[in-house]
Amino acid sequence: MRFLSGHNVRFGLAVFGVSAVAVFGLTACSDDEPAASNTPAPSAPGSSNAPIPTASTPSLTPLPTPSKPWPTPKVTGAPANDAPLAERIEFAIAKQAQIAAGKAAATTVKCPGIADAEQPGKHELTCTVTYAGKPYTGTLVVDAKTYSASYKFTSESVAIVKPKVVDAVLRSAPGAAKVTCTMDDVAVVKHSGEPIACDVTTTANAVAPYKAQVSGNGQVLVAKA
């Protein structure tokens, strides 16, 4: 209380007086309240309360699901039964390569040293198979006897055509409208390596990933990725 002085009190009164005059002046300027306007407020040009239409997702036509097994290609050019053993073995390897690939195509088999495989004993050779211009290698083991011989050809790789892979995917993904596989028209793949990646577009326009694994005899196993 002792902190306040008479000067401060007079200052407060002066402020009050000015405020009263200001209020009086504002009141004197308004004799009547303004009449309410009946004119509606103009709307913004181009505005609309209608909902914005959304684009509908088009439905796609499903591809037909294969009803028959993939056809076994007809391989021609078999040598005569009395042809040299080397010719008969090389043709047998070429024939199996085309059956595994899924289509008959120009195929050559080169096994250096196979001419000596008719000699009694076991012979292990490295062969190069070229299917439709795509080469891969394998191992040939020949067990020759005096009047007979047996052989076995093995390879980590196998050739396959794209339509055969797409056919296998369609069997595992019914209702597919489109199948896209990351591979050439003819591919050489390792049956123990990475599978072939495929995308299936459904009739609802959704995309689902699949993977196709090719076995050594050309069988295609398909599963969702």
Side-chain angles (χ1 to χ4, degrees):
M1 297 296 295
R2 292 181 180 179
F3 182 76
L4 298 175
S5 65
H7 293 289
N8 289 333
V9 173
R10 287 195 296 271
F11 180 76
L13 292 175
V15 171
F16 178 79
V18 172
S19 299
V21 172
V23 172
F24 175 79
L26 290 174
T27 304
C29 293
S30 300
D31 295 327
D32 298 321
E33 293 184 0
S37 174
N38 294 327
T39 304
S43 59
S47 64
S48 174
N49 294 327
I52 300 175
T54 56
S56 59
T57 302
S59 58
L60 303 178
T61 303
L63 295 172
T65 301
S67 58
K68 296 181 180 180
W70 183 263
T72 300
K74 296 180 179 180
V75 181
T76 59
N81 293 334
D82 59 350
L85 178 64
E87 291 184 19
R88 286 180 282 151
I89 291 177
E90 288 179 340
F91 173 78
I93 296 173
K95 179 179 179 179
Q96 182 56 37
Q98 295 175 71
I99 292 174
K103 183 180 179 181
T107 305
T108 60
V109 178
K110 300 296 182 182
C111 305
I114 195 173
D116 300 328
E118 292 187 3
Q119 301 297 324
K122 283 192 175 182
H123 308 269
E124 183 172 320
L125 309 169
T126 298
C127 302
T128 299
V129 181
T130 304
Y131 170 83
K134 302 283 187 176
Y136 60 94
T137 60
T139 301
L140 172 65
V141 177
V142 181
D143 187 4
K145 296 180 172 56
T146 304
Y147 297 106
S148 65
S150 61
Y151 77 93
K152 182 179 180 181
F153 177 77
T154 58
S155 176
E156 293 184 355
S157 302
V158 61
I160 194 154
V161 295
K162 190 173 185 178
K164 185 177 180 180
V165 177
V166 173
D167 176 89
V169 174
L170 284 174
R171 296 174 191 272
S172 300
K178 183 180 179 181
V179 176
T180 304
C181 295
T182 307
M183 62 178 294
D184 296 333
D185 292 338
V186 177
V188 171
V189 298
K190 292 184 179 297
H191 49 79
S192 59
E194 290 294 324
I196 298 171
C198 298
D199 285 335
V200 174
T201 303
T202 66
T203 54
N205 216 3
V207 178
Y210 281 77
K211 57 183 179 179
Q213 192 81 45
V214 184
S215 67
N217 62 359
Q219 183 181 5
V220 185
L221 305 176
V222 179
K224 276 193 172 182

